Amino acid sequence: MSRKLLFTVAIALCAAVPAWAAKSADTAPGKSSGPAWSMNATIIEACSSPMFCQCYFPPKPAAHAVAAPGHEGHSHAGHEGEGASEHFCRANNAYRVNKGAYGSTKLDGAKFWIAMDLGDDFSDGEMKWAVLTFDPAVTKEQRTGIQTAMTHLYPVKWQSFEVAAQDLPIEWKHTGDRAWATLDGGKAGEVILNGASVSRNKGEPVVIHNLNYWGAPRHTGFVLMPNEVEAYRLGPNAFEFKGTNGFMITFDIDSKTAPPAAGGGGGF
C-alpha cells in the first residue's frame, strides 16, 4: 500500500479504528472550509465483532458464521448456507454531544445515531454502508455542523451513505456500569452495554488508552462494556447481535486539528 493511500485511509476501525489506522497519528491536520467547528461527544457503541474488536489490529473484520434469519447473531436476511462464513463489522454508534459549536451554532446536547457496516476488508479505505439518523430536536444548523465533523471523524469513503429521511427519537443513558441507547424506542435500533461483565481486578471500568479512534485527535479511552444486544431494525440491512463488542468513548475533534476528509464523495 502506498504512503499516500495510507495517509488517506489509516483511520478507520470496526466502528472505531483498525490496525492500519495507527499510522494516522502522523497525518497533518485537515483544512475544513466554512465556519470553525469543534465537538466533544460521547458514544455508546457496539459492533458484531467479538470483544475486543479485532478491527483495531488486522485490516479485516471478524468472520461470522452465516445463520438462518431468526438466530442470535444473524446477519440480515438473504444469506444462505449453514456452515458458511462472512467477514463484516456491523455497528451502532449512539452519540450525545457534550459540547460543541459550528460557527455561532451550539451543538451541545445534540443526539444522533449512525448504523454502519465496514464490509469485509477496509484496507483500501472504502467502507460498505452507513445511515445517519438525527433526533427530531436537532436543528438544521446543528445538522450541518454535525455532518461536517463526521466527515473528518470518519475520513473514509462509503459505498453507500445516507441521512435517514425520517428523524427518530433517541434515548441515551449511562449509569455506572450500564449504558443503553434506543432509536425510536428500540423499534429502529437498540444498544445495551454492561461493563460489569468484564473480568477486572477492581470494581473500576476497564479502559484502553493509546489506541486511535477513527480520526479523533483526542479521546479519553475505550471503556470496555460488552453488549447485551446491539440491533439495527430498519430496511434490508437490519441486523442484531448479542454478547459481542461494546464500549463507550468520549472524543474531541475540531477544525484546526482534525485529519483531512476523504476525497471523492460517498461520505457524510
Side-chain angles (χ1 to χ4, degrees):
M1 186 181 295
S2 69
R3 181 179 296 273
K4 182 177 180 181
L5 182 57
L6 282 170
F7 177 89
T8 304
V9 305
I11 319 175
L13 130 101
C14 160
V17 173
W20 39 268
K23 298 181 181 294
S24 67
D26 296 328
T27 60
K31 292 184 178 180
S32 178
S33 59
W37 55 267
S38 63
M39 179 185 290
N40 177 285
T42 301
I43 315 172
I44 295 173
E45 179 163 338
C47 74
S48 55
S49 294
M51 193 77 183
F52 177 65
C53 180
Q54 76 173 52
C55 299
Y56 284 86
F57 306 106
K60 194 175 186 70
H64 302 265
V66 177
H71 289 240
E72 289 187 3
H74 70 271
S75 57
H76 62 79
H79 295 295
E80 299 179 355
E82 293 291 336
S85 65
E86 181 183 0
H87 288 266
F88 56 79
C89 181
R90 294 170 185 154
N92 285 285
N93 295 8
Y95 290 77
R96 184 189 66 185
V97 179
N98 303 312
K99 187 176 182 179
Y102 179 72
S104 60
T105 300
K106 290 190 175 297
L107 306 178
D108 304 21
K111 291 181 291 186
F112 57 100
W113 188 291
I114 303 177
M116 64 178 72
D117 184 348
L118 301 189
D120 62 356
D121 188 334
F122 32 77
S123 60
D124 61 356
E126 183 173 283
M127 311 301 155
K128 193 168 184 180
W129 61 264
V131 179
L132 167 62
T133 303
F134 289 107
D135 183 89
V138 181
T139 68
K140 179 180 179 180
E141 293 77 15
Q142 288 176 324
R143 294 170 196 229
T144 300
I146 289 168
Q147 288 186 247
T148 298
M150 292 300 100
T151 298
H152 293 269
L153 183 65
Y154 301 102
V156 297
K157 296 180 182 179
W158 299 90
Q159 294 177 20
S160 172
F161 169 78
E162 63 179 293
V163 177
Q166 182 180 1
D167 296 343
L168 295 173
I170 295 172
E171 181 181 27
W172 195 107
K173 293 184 179 180
H174 172 220
T175 303
D177 279 327
R178 295 186 65 82
W180 60 98
T182 60
L183 186 64
D184 196 20
K187 292 182 290 184
E190 181 180 21
V191 176
I192 300 175
L193 305 183
N194 183 2
S197 63
V198 179
S199 177
R200 51 196 182 185
N201 291 328
K202 301 178 180 179
E204 300 174 358
V206 176
V207 185
I208 295 178
H209 294 285
N210 197 32
L211 183 65
N212 284 339
Y213 180 82
W214 291 91
R218 299 164 297 278
H219 66 75
T220 58
F222 298 79
V223 182
L224 303 191
M225 304 174 72
N227 74 67
E228 294 181 0
V229 62
E230 75 112 356
Y232 184 64
R233 298 176 172 131
L234 296 176
N237 292 321
F239 59 80
E240 181 168 330
F241 298 89
K242 295 180 179 180
T244 54
N245 182 59
F247 58 86
M248 291 187 70
I249 190 166
T250 297
F251 69 90
D252 200 58
I253 192 168
D254 60 72
S255 53
K256 293 182 179 180
T257 61
F268 291 86

